[in-house]
Amino acid sequence: MRYREALNEALREELRRDETVMLMGEDIGVFNGAFKVTAGLLEEFGERRVRDTPISENTIVGMGVGAAMSGLRPVVELMTINFSLLAMDQIINSAAHIHYMFGGQARVPLVIRMPQGAGHQLGPTHSHCLEAMYLQVPGLLVATPSTPADAKGLLKAAIRDDNPVIFIEHESLYGQRGEVPEDPDHVVDFGSAAICREGDDVTIVGISRMALTAQRAAEALAAEHDIQAEVIDPRTLRPLDLDMICGSVRKTNRCVIVEEGWPHGGVGANLAALIQEQAFDWLDAPVARVTGADVPMPYSKPLEQIAFPHEPQVVTAVLSTFRDV
Amino acid sequence: MAEHVVEASPNIEGPRPLPAADAARDWLAAMLLIRRFEERAGELYAKALIGGFLHLAVGEEAAIVGAVRALRDRDYLISTYRSHGHALARGTEPERVMAELMGREGGVCRGRGGSMHMFDGERRFLGGYGIVGGNLPLGAGVALASDYLKRDEATLCVFGDGASNQGTFGETMNLAALWRLPVVFLVTNNQFGMGTALARHSAVTDLMRKGESFGVPGMRCDGMDVVETEAVVAEALAIAREQRQPMLVEAVTYRFRGHSMADPEEYRTREQVAEWRKRDPIDVFGERLEAEGVLEPSAREALDADALERIDAAAAFAEQSPFPAPESLYDNVYVLGDQVRGWYSVDERAAGVHRGEDERALAERKRRAGNGEDGG
């Protein structure tokens, strides 16, 4: 099953399971979704539950918050993560803070889905990876699935959870295939990372699509350098399964973090700080980071391709942690 | 889309008839309570018992009480950062509102929200919001839930003239009209967006017309007249409920005090303020009740004395209410459930991390460990 089909199945099953689940977003109905994630859902569930909206990101999210506060479990789709910047006010000032700000009186069981990522030559307004921005906000949960099974299981968990969830998909993964459990209650818990590949020599943490890049790099490291890398996909960035990551680092004594987003204040910057706080004595080398280039995403293909990480950079970063051995 | 257009009833010439005597007394009492509350809050702010920003609604009592009394208990109200009055009019105890202003555990939001962020879920007052225009989508979303769940409820979404320039204004009007949601938008036109006069911030000063191009017809009421405000908002709510036609009501009013306590009021003249004060909504309504024989002068004074007494009690309660315990800092950042585990938050004080478990339980374990008991 493809990643987009897994997401579609999660939405379909949750819409069937719970009458209060409803979808809102730009072109999710008649058009079947800009990336076809919502294909066929309008047909099955009708206009009441699958709603095409005008292009009004901040208001769509705000209405989702209001509806979530008074009995619904809305799933809002934003066409790309760059467009979510128009909704930043409602995401942070409203969705994330309402439960706390009102002393626990209100809940916001809202899911905001959005794809991110480069590789399709969409230039500086449609291609970024901004999970680090949302990771920073207390009150939000942040999911970044990299496989079809996780996409489905995490989306179902997100819909069932009582907190607002930023659910970050990746444009390049929609066509990715993988095994997906058929169990309609297949739910992946938030805060539980996945070990994608076991190894004793170095821990590579890959975020979103970079979990796959990290796995390919790990195979190259094994084949060409006799290095067995353990690859971890955190799957959710908030909450974070720091236990698993630090447990792996204590075993391998080396860590490389791979993300597609910008380096300053990035996921890796944050995670490196947490690892040095939690596992400093076990580290044999500084935590290394591989990130997207510190530039707005360029349109031109050769430039775009060097602006986000590929396997060779990951291999180089891993080797750098062995430099002094 | 002609069938979506509702002709708003023109303002009736002359004053509208008074409600039943009990209701009239209740409305006056509610306005007095707000007035006395706001005055006391201003004093307590000057004594530094209240921090942050404090936005008072002195002068706007009729626009508040008239609108809130037009709601049924099952309807929703959502407001702005100037919303002590909305909470009080909805029935929230002044004690809990005042305690919130003082940042105490006994406050409506346990001191987490403060003056700008009131909330009383039980009374369906879904909050004051600190971002201008931020509550419009929320109000429409609440109405969406009512509509979706086929519940007989309407939402009244209150904001100021300044908010009518935000993007959310047009976006929300459009969506509310498109989806025919049971919501009434009430723009409290108090003549100023903070310190910028209406004519200097809005090209269209006829605010009731600002929703028309989005499919939201407008009505206007004298926001200094509690009777008219109630009547017009009630009519708008009925249209929203029964015809699924969202409405925009403009309540024309004036705030007698500054935008917040930090306002030297250099943008308006004393004469202008004095002119509006002649139309003080509480005086005007009180005099009318006397003139029409609903209320004896002594009874009017007694209502005011009652209000003052309640405010004394509220201030005393608030001052005695404890500040929130430090170990409650992380309460309610998340709704904790079974599915969500892992590390939520960095705890700067302990240089550790939080698993989202009850901070109080953590503190209790530390305390017990410190006492040599089993830390568990």
Side-chain angles (χ1 to χ4, degrees), chain A residues 19 48-49 59 63 70 90 99-100 105 139-140 161 163 189-190 238-240 242-243, chain B residues 108 112 119 121 129 134 137-138 141 148 151 171 329 331-332 334-335 340-341 343 355:
Chain A
E19 177 78 12
R48 174 169 163 260
R49 303 189 65 196
T59 289
M63 284 182 68
S70 43
Q90 290 297 343
H99 184 59
Y100 189 85
Q105 292 182 80
L140 296 179
D161 197 85
N163 296 288
D189 287 343
F190 274 56
R238 193 163 181 141
L240 180 68
L242 194 58
D243 282 354
Chain B
V108 278
R112 271 64 174 176
F119 194 95
Y129 292 84
L138 300 176
Y148 182 99
R151 296 185 306 215
E171 291 183 10
L329 179 65
D331 285 3
N332 298 318
Y334 291 97
V335 181
V340 177
R341 291 193 275 274
W343 307 77
R355 290 169 177 279

mmCIF file of all heavy atoms in Angstrom, chain A residues 19 48-49 59 63 70 90 99-100 105 139-140 161 163 189-190 238-240 242-243, chain B residues 108 112 119 121 129 134 137-138 141 148 151 171 329 331-332 334-335 340-341 343 355:
data_model
loop_
_atom_site.group_PDB
_atom_site.id
_atom_site.type_symbol
_atom_site.label_atom_id
_atom_site.label_comp_id
_atom_site.label_asym_id
_atom_site.label_seq_id
_atom_site.Cartn_x
_atom_site.Cartn_y
_atom_site.Cartn_z
ATOM 1 N N GLU A 19 -18.585 9.560 14.418
ATOM 2 C CA GLU A 19 -19.413 10.555 13.714
ATOM 3 C C GLU A 19 -18.892 11.987 13.901
ATOM 4 O O GLU A 19 -19.160 12.859 13.077
ATOM 5 C CB GLU A 19 -20.855 10.432 14.250
ATOM 6 C CG GLU A 19 -21.865 11.409 13.701
ATOM 7 C CD GLU A 19 -22.362 11.054 12.308
ATOM 8 O OE1 GLU A 19 -22.095 9.932 11.855
ATOM 9 O OE2 GLU A 19 -23.016 11.911 11.681
ATOM 10 N N ARG A 48 -21.409 17.117 4.350
ATOM 11 C CA ARG A 48 -21.423 17.514 5.756
ATOM 12 C C ARG A 48 -20.102 17.169 6.419
ATOM 13 O O ARG A 48 -19.594 17.944 7.232
ATOM 14 C CB ARG A 48 -22.581 16.804 6.467
ATOM 15 C CG ARG A 48 -22.617 17.013 7.983
ATOM 16 C CD ARG A 48 -23.929 16.509 8.575
ATOM 17 N NE ARG A 48 -23.844 16.338 10.012
ATOM 18 C CZ ARG A 48 -23.645 15.165 10.624
ATOM 19 N NH1 ARG A 48 -23.503 14.054 9.911
ATOM 20 N NH2 ARG A 48 -23.580 15.095 11.937
ATOM 21 N N ARG A 49 -19.526 16.039 6.056
ATOM 22 C CA ARG A 49 -18.352 15.565 6.780
ATOM 23 C C ARG A 49 -17.045 15.790 6.043
ATOM 24 O O ARG A 49 -15.980 15.728 6.658
ATOM 25 C CB ARG A 49 -18.535 14.077 7.120
ATOM 26 C CG ARG A 49 -19.815 13.842 7.936
ATOM 27 C CD ARG A 49 -19.908 12.453 8.465
ATOM 28 N NE ARG A 49 -18.851 12.197 9.439
ATOM 29 C CZ ARG A 49 -18.509 10.977 9.835
ATOM 30 N NH1 ARG A 49 -19.129 9.921 9.341
ATOM 31 N NH2 ARG A 49 -17.565 10.834 10.735
ATOM 32 N N THR A 59 -8.336 30.995 8.893
ATOM 33 C CA THR A 59 -9.718 30.820 9.330
ATOM 34 C C THR A 59 -10.138 29.354 9.315
ATOM 35 O O THR A 59 -10.878 28.911 10.195
ATOM 36 C CB THR A 59 -10.638 31.709 8.473
ATOM 37 O OG1 THR A 59 -10.402 33.072 8.842
ATOM 38 C CG2 THR A 59 -12.095 31.386 8.683
ATOM 39 N N MET A 63 -11.488 27.796 12.640
ATOM 40 C CA MET A 63 -12.797 27.149 12.730
ATOM 41 C C MET A 63 -12.656 25.717 13.225
ATOM 42 O O MET A 63 -13.499 25.221 13.969
ATOM 43 C CB MET A 63 -13.511 27.180 11.378
ATOM 44 C CG MET A 63 -14.079 28.560 11.081
ATOM 45 S SD MET A 63 -14.983 28.637 9.524
ATOM 46 C CE MET A 63 -16.410 27.627 9.910
ATOM 47 N N SER A 70 -15.982 22.452 20.845
ATOM 48 C CA SER A 70 -17.395 22.236 21.161
ATOM 49 C C SER A 70 -17.942 20.952 20.556
ATOM 50 O O SER A 70 -19.081 20.914 20.100
ATOM 51 C CB SER A 70 -18.220 23.454 20.765
ATOM 52 O OG SER A 70 -17.840 23.955 19.514
ATOM 53 N N GLN A 90 -3.550 31.025 14.532
ATOM 54 C CA GLN A 90 -4.534 30.107 15.118
ATOM 55 C C GLN A 90 -3.868 28.846 15.660
ATOM 56 O O GLN A 90 -4.326 28.273 16.642
ATOM 57 C CB GLN A 90 -5.618 29.745 14.090
ATOM 58 C CG GLN A 90 -6.545 30.906 13.762
ATOM 59 C CD GLN A 90 -7.354 31.391 14.957
ATOM 60 O OE1 GLN A 90 -7.489 30.707 15.962
ATOM 61 N NE2 GLN A 90 -7.892 32.593 14.856
ATOM 62 N N HIS A 99 -6.001 25.016 25.950
ATOM 63 C CA HIS A 99 -6.166 24.107 27.090
ATOM 64 C C HIS A 99 -5.471 24.680 28.334
ATOM 65 O O HIS A 99 -6.031 24.699 29.423
ATOM 66 C CB HIS A 99 -5.606 22.726 26.743
ATOM 67 C CG HIS A 99 -5.810 21.699 27.811
ATOM 68 N ND1 HIS A 99 -7.057 21.351 28.275
ATOM 69 C CD2 HIS A 99 -4.930 20.956 28.522
ATOM 70 C CE1 HIS A 99 -6.929 20.438 29.227
ATOM 71 N NE2 HIS A 99 -5.646 20.176 29.400
ATOM 72 N N TYR A 100 -4.290 25.192 28.135
ATOM 73 C CA TYR A 100 -3.514 25.745 29.254
ATOM 74 C C TYR A 100 -4.068 27.090 29.715
ATOM 75 O O TYR A 100 -4.305 27.313 30.901
ATOM 76 C CB TYR A 100 -2.061 25.929 28.806
ATOM 77 C CG TYR A 100 -1.106 26.288 29.918
ATOM 78 C CD1 TYR A 100 -0.524 25.307 30.703
ATOM 79 C CD2 TYR A 100 -0.762 27.612 30.179
ATOM 80 C CE1 TYR A 100 0.364 25.620 31.722
ATOM 81 C CE2 TYR A 100 0.122 27.946 31.189
ATOM 82 C CZ TYR A 100 0.689 26.944 31.960
ATOM 83 O OH TYR A 100 1.569 27.260 32.961
ATOM 84 N N GLN A 105 -10.057 24.042 31.097
ATOM 85 C CA GLN A 105 -11.504 23.954 30.862
ATOM 86 C C GLN A 105 -11.872 23.528 29.450
ATOM 87 O O GLN A 105 -12.972 23.034 29.225
ATOM 88 C CB GLN A 105 -12.173 25.310 31.121
ATOM 89 C CG GLN A 105 -12.188 25.757 32.558
ATOM 90 C CD GLN A 105 -12.931 27.092 32.682
ATOM 91 O OE1 GLN A 105 -14.136 27.139 32.706
ATOM 92 N NE2 GLN A 105 -12.181 28.167 32.753
ATOM 93 N N GLY A 139 2.146 22.453 23.962
ATOM 94 C CA GLY A 139 0.715 22.326 23.708
ATOM 95 C C GLY A 139 0.424 21.609 22.413
ATOM 96 O O GLY A 139 -0.658 21.071 22.227
ATOM 97 N N LEU A 140 1.401 21.600 21.494
ATOM 98 C CA LEU A 140 1.206 20.876 20.238
ATOM 99 C C LEU A 140 1.855 19.504 20.329
ATOM 100 O O LEU A 140 2.884 19.332 20.976
ATOM 101 C CB LEU A 140 1.866 21.622 19.070
ATOM 102 C CG LEU A 140 1.317 23.001 18.700
ATOM 103 C CD1 LEU A 140 2.120 23.577 17.541
ATOM 104 C CD2 LEU A 140 -0.162 22.921 18.345
ATOM 105 N N ASP A 161 -6.637 11.401 19.674
ATOM 106 C CA ASP A 161 -6.045 12.117 20.809
ATOM 107 C C ASP A 161 -6.795 13.417 21.091
ATOM 108 O O ASP A 161 -7.396 14.011 20.199
ATOM 109 C CB ASP A 161 -4.570 12.432 20.513
ATOM 110 C CG ASP A 161 -3.825 12.787 21.778
ATOM 111 O OD1 ASP A 161 -3.366 11.858 22.453
ATOM 112 O OD2 ASP A 161 -3.728 13.987 22.112
ATOM 113 N N ASN A 163 -5.414 16.232 22.109
ATOM 114 C CA ASN A 163 -4.565 17.406 21.946
ATOM 115 C C ASN A 163 -4.503 17.824 20.479
ATOM 116 O O ASN A 163 -4.712 16.999 19.591
ATOM 117 C CB ASN A 163 -3.136 17.090 22.422
ATOM 118 C CG ASN A 163 -3.083 16.783 23.900
ATOM 119 O OD1 ASN A 163 -3.228 17.670 24.725
ATOM 120 N ND2 ASN A 163 -2.909 15.503 24.242
ATOM 121 N N ASP A 189 1.457 4.629 18.870
ATOM 122 C CA ASP A 189 1.463 5.587 19.979
ATOM 123 C C ASP A 189 2.403 6.751 19.695
ATOM 124 O O ASP A 189 3.490 6.567 19.152
ATOM 125 C CB ASP A 189 1.937 4.904 21.269
ATOM 126 C CG ASP A 189 0.875 3.980 21.826
ATOM 127 O OD1 ASP A 189 -0.299 4.121 21.423
ATOM 128 O OD2 ASP A 189 1.222 3.128 22.657
ATOM 129 N N PHE A 190 1.971 7.930 20.111
ATOM 130 C CA PHE A 190 2.861 9.080 20.063
ATOM 131 C C PHE A 190 3.938 8.904 21.135
ATOM 132 O O PHE A 190 3.661 8.423 22.228
ATOM 133 C CB PHE A 190 2.071 10.369 20.321
ATOM 134 C CG PHE A 190 1.455 10.936 19.083
ATOM 135 C CD1 PHE A 190 0.604 10.174 18.297
ATOM 136 C CD2 PHE A 190 1.739 12.232 18.688
ATOM 137 C CE1 PHE A 190 0.055 10.693 17.135
ATOM 138 C CE2 PHE A 190 1.192 12.761 17.524
ATOM 139 C CZ PHE A 190 0.345 11.995 16.749
ATOM 140 N N ARG A 238 7.239 15.517 19.192
ATOM 141 C CA ARG A 238 6.707 15.977 20.468
ATOM 142 C C ARG A 238 5.414 15.229 20.700
ATOM 143 O O ARG A 238 4.459 15.476 19.977
ATOM 144 C CB ARG A 238 6.472 17.484 20.419
ATOM 145 C CG ARG A 238 6.224 18.071 21.774
ATOM 146 C CD ARG A 238 6.419 19.579 21.694
ATOM 147 N NE ARG A 238 6.210 20.133 23.010
ATOM 148 C CZ ARG A 238 6.920 21.107 23.535
ATOM 149 N NH1 ARG A 238 7.900 21.626 22.869
ATOM 150 N NH2 ARG A 238 6.663 21.575 24.710
ATOM 151 N N PRO A 239 5.351 14.325 21.647
ATOM 152 C CA PRO A 239 6.442 13.936 22.528
ATOM 153 C C PRO A 239 7.524 13.154 21.781
ATOM 154 O O PRO A 239 7.285 12.580 20.725
ATOM 155 C CB PRO A 239 5.760 13.045 23.558
ATOM 156 C CG PRO A 239 4.576 12.489 22.864
ATOM 157 C CD PRO A 239 4.123 13.549 21.907
ATOM 158 N N LEU A 240 8.687 13.131 22.394
ATOM 159 C CA LEU A 240 9.865 12.523 21.788
ATOM 160 C C LEU A 240 10.272 11.306 22.600
ATOM 161 O O LEU A 240 10.286 11.361 23.827
ATOM 162 C CB LEU A 240 10.993 13.566 21.782
ATOM 163 C CG LEU A 240 12.327 13.146 21.199
ATOM 164 C CD1 LEU A 240 12.192 12.923 19.687
ATOM 165 C CD2 LEU A 240 13.367 14.230 21.473
ATOM 166 N N LEU A 242 12.904 10.024 23.759
ATOM 167 C CA LEU A 242 14.317 10.273 24.048
ATOM 168 C C LEU A 242 14.971 9.050 24.699
ATOM 169 O O LEU A 242 16.166 8.821 24.540
ATOM 170 C CB LEU A 242 14.444 11.507 24.948
ATOM 171 C CG LEU A 242 15.828 12.120 25.080
ATOM 172 C CD1 LEU A 242 16.378 12.525 23.723
ATOM 173 C CD2 LEU A 242 15.800 13.322 26.017
ATOM 174 N N ASP A 243 14.147 8.259 25.408
ATOM 175 C CA ASP A 243 14.691 7.043 26.030
ATOM 176 C C ASP A 243 15.312 6.128 24.987
ATOM 177 O O ASP A 243 16.418 5.622 25.168
ATOM 178 C CB ASP A 243 13.564 6.270 26.741
ATOM 179 C CG ASP A 243 13.218 6.908 28.080
ATOM 180 O OD1 ASP A 243 13.933 7.849 28.473
ATOM 181 O OD2 ASP A 243 12.252 6.468 28.703
ATOM 182 N N VAL B 108 -10.947 32.143 37.336
ATOM 183 C CA VAL B 108 -11.686 31.283 36.398
ATOM 184 C C VAL B 108 -10.752 30.360 35.622
ATOM 185 O O VAL B 108 -11.115 29.241 35.289
ATOM 186 C CB VAL B 108 -12.536 32.074 35.382
ATOM 187 C CG1 VAL B 108 -13.856 32.484 35.980
ATOM 188 C CG2 VAL B 108 -11.809 33.274 34.829
ATOM 189 N N ARG B 112 -4.017 31.318 34.874
ATOM 190 C CA ARG B 112 -3.203 31.077 33.666
ATOM 191 C C ARG B 112 -3.492 32.078 32.555
ATOM 192 O O ARG B 112 -2.670 32.284 31.667
ATOM 193 C CB ARG B 112 -3.451 29.660 33.130
ATOM 194 C CG ARG B 112 -2.559 28.574 33.710
ATOM 195 C CD ARG B 112 -2.768 28.387 35.182
ATOM 196 N NE ARG B 112 -1.999 27.258 35.694
ATOM 197 C CZ ARG B 112 -1.946 26.915 36.956
ATOM 198 N NH1 ARG B 112 -2.608 27.626 37.882
ATOM 199 N NH2 ARG B 112 -1.237 25.881 37.350
ATOM 200 N N PHE B 119 -12.738 32.719 30.746
ATOM 201 C CA PHE B 119 -13.394 31.537 30.167
ATOM 202 C C PHE B 119 -14.311 30.954 31.217
ATOM 203 O O PHE B 119 -13.950 30.891 32.397
ATOM 204 C CB PHE B 119 -12.342 30.487 29.775
ATOM 205 C CG PHE B 119 -12.854 29.388 28.869
ATOM 206 C CD1 PHE B 119 -12.708 29.487 27.491
ATOM 207 C CD2 PHE B 119 -13.477 28.260 29.395
ATOM 208 C CE1 PHE B 119 -13.151 28.478 26.651
ATOM 209 C CE2 PHE B 119 -13.932 27.247 28.561
ATOM 210 C CZ PHE B 119 -13.761 27.351 27.187
ATOM 211 N N GLY B 121 -16.586 27.660 30.810
ATOM 212 C CA GLY B 121 -17.177 26.617 29.971
ATOM 213 C C GLY B 121 -18.582 26.245 30.406
ATOM 214 O O GLY B 121 -19.458 26.020 29.569
ATOM 215 N N TYR B 129 -10.164 36.464 24.043
ATOM 216 C CA TYR B 129 -8.970 36.156 23.242
ATOM 217 C C TYR B 129 -8.137 37.412 23.038
ATOM 218 O O TYR B 129 -8.664 38.487 22.795
ATOM 219 C CB TYR B 129 -9.377 35.535 21.906
ATOM 220 C CG TYR B 129 -9.976 34.162 22.130
ATOM 221 C CD1 TYR B 129 -11.313 34.010 22.462
ATOM 222 C CD2 TYR B 129 -9.170 33.036 22.107
ATOM 223 C CE1 TYR B 129 -11.857 32.763 22.740
ATOM 224 C CE2 TYR B 129 -9.694 31.783 22.378
ATOM 225 C CZ TYR B 129 -11.034 31.652 22.696
ATOM 226 O OH TYR B 129 -11.544 30.416 22.973
ATOM 227 N N GLY B 134 -8.789 37.301 16.302
ATOM 228 C CA GLY B 134 -8.498 35.867 16.436
ATOM 229 C C GLY B 134 -9.700 35.028 16.827
ATOM 230 O O GLY B 134 -9.731 33.831 16.571
ATOM 231 N N PRO B 137 -12.774 33.268 13.675
ATOM 232 C CA PRO B 137 -12.842 31.886 13.179
ATOM 233 C C PRO B 137 -13.292 30.908 14.264
ATOM 234 O O PRO B 137 -14.034 29.964 13.977
ATOM 235 C CB PRO B 137 -11.398 31.579 12.754
ATOM 236 C CG PRO B 137 -10.751 32.900 12.581
ATOM 237 C CD PRO B 137 -11.426 33.842 13.519
ATOM 238 N N LEU B 138 -12.875 31.159 15.493
ATOM 239 C CA LEU B 138 -13.268 30.256 16.579
ATOM 240 C C LEU B 138 -14.783 30.272 16.752
ATOM 241 O O LEU B 138 -15.424 29.230 16.885
ATOM 242 C CB LEU B 138 -12.591 30.666 17.891
ATOM 243 C CG LEU B 138 -11.066 30.664 17.896
ATOM 244 C CD1 LEU B 138 -10.545 31.191 19.230
ATOM 245 C CD2 LEU B 138 -10.522 29.269 17.660
ATOM 246 N N GLY B 141 -16.384 28.414 14.118
ATOM 247 C CA GLY B 141 -16.148 26.983 14.332
ATOM 248 C C GLY B 141 -17.089 26.390 15.372
ATOM 249 O O GLY B 141 -17.568 25.264 15.222
ATOM 250 N N TYR B 148 -23.383 21.053 12.767
ATOM 251 C CA TYR B 148 -22.996 19.695 12.403
ATOM 252 C C TYR B 148 -23.693 18.669 13.290
ATOM 253 O O TYR B 148 -24.171 17.643 12.822
ATOM 254 C CB TYR B 148 -21.480 19.575 12.542
ATOM 255 C CG TYR B 148 -20.876 18.243 12.159
ATOM 256 C CD1 TYR B 148 -20.284 18.071 10.912
ATOM 257 C CD2 TYR B 148 -20.855 17.177 13.051
ATOM 258 C CE1 TYR B 148 -19.712 16.862 10.563
ATOM 259 C CE2 TYR B 148 -20.288 15.967 12.718
ATOM 260 C CZ TYR B 148 -19.713 15.806 11.475
ATOM 261 O OH TYR B 148 -19.143 14.610 11.144
ATOM 262 N N ARG B 151 -27.563 20.632 16.893
ATOM 263 C CA ARG B 151 -27.981 21.119 18.203
ATOM 264 C C ARG B 151 -28.604 22.507 18.026
ATOM 265 O O ARG B 151 -28.124 23.307 17.225
ATOM 266 C CB ARG B 151 -26.769 21.212 19.153
ATOM 267 C CG ARG B 151 -26.141 19.854 19.441
ATOM 268 C CD ARG B 151 -25.024 19.953 20.480
ATOM 269 N NE ARG B 151 -24.012 20.931 20.142
ATOM 270 C CZ ARG B 151 -22.708 20.779 20.430
ATOM 271 N NH1 ARG B 151 -22.270 19.684 21.037
ATOM 272 N NH2 ARG B 151 -21.844 21.720 20.114
ATOM 273 N N GLU B 171 -12.546 36.555 5.931
ATOM 274 C CA GLU B 171 -12.492 35.099 5.759
ATOM 275 C C GLU B 171 -13.632 34.418 6.511
ATOM 276 O O GLU B 171 -14.272 33.490 6.009
ATOM 277 C CB GLU B 171 -11.153 34.557 6.277
ATOM 278 C CG GLU B 171 -9.951 34.966 5.436
ATOM 279 C CD GLU B 171 -8.635 34.351 5.936
ATOM 280 O OE1 GLU B 171 -8.662 33.468 6.812
ATOM 281 O OE2 GLU B 171 -7.596 34.758 5.435
ATOM 282 N N LEU B 329 2.999 24.468 37.493
ATOM 283 C CA LEU B 329 3.392 25.183 36.268
ATOM 284 C C LEU B 329 3.063 24.398 35.000
ATOM 285 O O LEU B 329 2.651 24.960 33.996
ATOM 286 C CB LEU B 329 4.896 25.492 36.315
ATOM 287 C CG LEU B 329 5.492 26.217 35.105
ATOM 288 C CD1 LEU B 329 4.906 27.617 34.959
ATOM 289 C CD2 LEU B 329 7.011 26.310 35.244
ATOM 290 N N ASP B 331 0.788 22.016 34.652
ATOM 291 C CA ASP B 331 -0.579 21.483 34.571
ATOM 292 C C ASP B 331 -1.251 21.948 33.288
ATOM 293 O O ASP B 331 -1.174 23.125 32.926
ATOM 294 C CB ASP B 331 -1.436 21.996 35.745
ATOM 295 C CG ASP B 331 -1.109 21.310 37.061
ATOM 296 O OD1 ASP B 331 -0.177 20.487 37.069
ATOM 297 O OD2 ASP B 331 -1.788 21.619 38.056
ATOM 298 N N ASN B 332 -1.922 21.034 32.633
ATOM 299 C CA ASN B 332 -2.781 21.381 31.488
ATOM 300 C C ASN B 332 -2.048 21.921 30.266
ATOM 301 O O ASN B 332 -2.649 22.606 29.443
ATOM 302 C CB ASN B 332 -3.871 22.380 31.899
ATOM 303 C CG ASN B 332 -4.803 21.806 32.943
ATOM 304 O OD1 ASN B 332 -5.201 20.653 32.844
ATOM 305 N ND2 ASN B 332 -5.111 22.587 33.952
ATOM 306 N N TYR B 334 -0.868 19.683 28.288
ATOM 307 C CA TYR B 334 -1.459 18.649 27.441
ATOM 308 C C TYR B 334 -2.612 17.980 28.170
ATOM 309 O O TYR B 334 -2.638 17.911 29.401
ATOM 310 C CB TYR B 334 -0.413 17.579 27.086
ATOM 311 C CG TYR B 334 0.649 18.102 26.158
ATOM 312 C CD1 TYR B 334 1.864 18.553 26.648
ATOM 313 C CD2 TYR B 334 0.422 18.167 24.794
ATOM 314 C CE1 TYR B 334 2.835 19.068 25.795
ATOM 315 C CE2 TYR B 334 1.380 18.674 23.928
ATOM 316 C CZ TYR B 334 2.585 19.115 24.432
ATOM 317 O OH TYR B 334 3.524 19.632 23.588
ATOM 318 N N VAL B 335 -3.533 17.470 27.400
ATOM 319 C CA VAL B 335 -4.512 16.537 27.926
ATOM 320 C C VAL B 335 -3.805 15.192 27.951
ATOM 321 O O VAL B 335 -3.377 14.704 26.896
ATOM 322 C CB VAL B 335 -5.752 16.443 27.006
ATOM 323 C CG1 VAL B 335 -6.769 15.484 27.593
ATOM 324 C CG2 VAL B 335 -6.357 17.821 26.780
ATOM 325 N N VAL B 340 -0.429 8.809 24.537
ATOM 326 C CA VAL B 340 0.704 9.710 24.371
ATOM 327 C C VAL B 340 1.706 9.504 25.489
ATOM 328 O O VAL B 340 1.400 9.660 26.656
ATOM 329 C CB VAL B 340 0.233 11.166 24.340
ATOM 330 C CG1 VAL B 340 1.413 12.103 24.241
ATOM 331 C CG2 VAL B 340 -0.701 11.378 23.164
ATOM 332 N N ARG B 341 2.915 9.135 25.104
ATOM 333 C CA ARG B 341 3.978 8.935 26.094
ATOM 334 C C ARG B 341 5.197 9.743 25.677
ATOM 335 O O ARG B 341 5.113 10.587 24.811
ATOM 336 C CB ARG B 341 4.319 7.448 26.170
ATOM 337 C CG ARG B 341 3.207 6.627 26.783
ATOM 338 C CD ARG B 341 3.712 5.246 27.119
ATOM 339 N NE ARG B 341 3.633 4.368 25.961
ATOM 340 C CZ ARG B 341 2.558 3.677 25.630
ATOM 341 N NH1 ARG B 341 1.453 3.781 26.333
ATOM 342 N NH2 ARG B 341 2.554 2.888 24.587
ATOM 343 N N TRP B 343 8.708 12.153 26.079
ATOM 344 C CA TRP B 343 9.170 13.376 26.741
ATOM 345 C C TRP B 343 8.500 14.564 26.087
ATOM 346 O O TRP B 343 8.680 14.807 24.917
ATOM 347 C CB TRP B 343 10.686 13.488 26.605
ATOM 348 C CG TRP B 343 11.399 12.272 27.062
ATOM 349 C CD1 TRP B 343 11.511 11.091 26.387
ATOM 350 C CD2 TRP B 343 12.086 12.090 28.289
ATOM 351 N NE1 TRP B 343 12.232 10.195 27.128
ATOM 352 C CE2 TRP B 343 12.608 10.783 28.294
ATOM 353 C CE3 TRP B 343 12.338 12.920 29.384
ATOM 354 C CZ2 TRP B 343 13.335 10.277 29.358
ATOM 355 C CZ3 TRP B 343 13.070 12.416 30.434
ATOM 356 C CH2 TRP B 343 13.558 11.106 30.413
ATOM 357 N N ARG B 355 7.788 14.062 31.313
ATOM 358 C CA ARG B 355 7.090 13.043 30.572
ATOM 359 C C ARG B 355 5.610 13.371 30.465
ATOM 360 O O ARG B 355 4.820 12.539 30.088
ATOM 361 C CB ARG B 355 7.242 11.701 31.266
ATOM 362 C CG ARG B 355 8.644 11.179 31.170
ATOM 363 C CD ARG B 355 8.813 9.988 32.089
ATOM 364 N NE ARG B 355 10.143 9.452 31.922
ATOM 365 C CZ ARG B 355 10.488 8.646 30.932
ATOM 366 N NH1 ARG B 355 9.603 8.290 30.042
ATOM 367 N NH2 ARG B 355 11.711 8.198 30.832
#
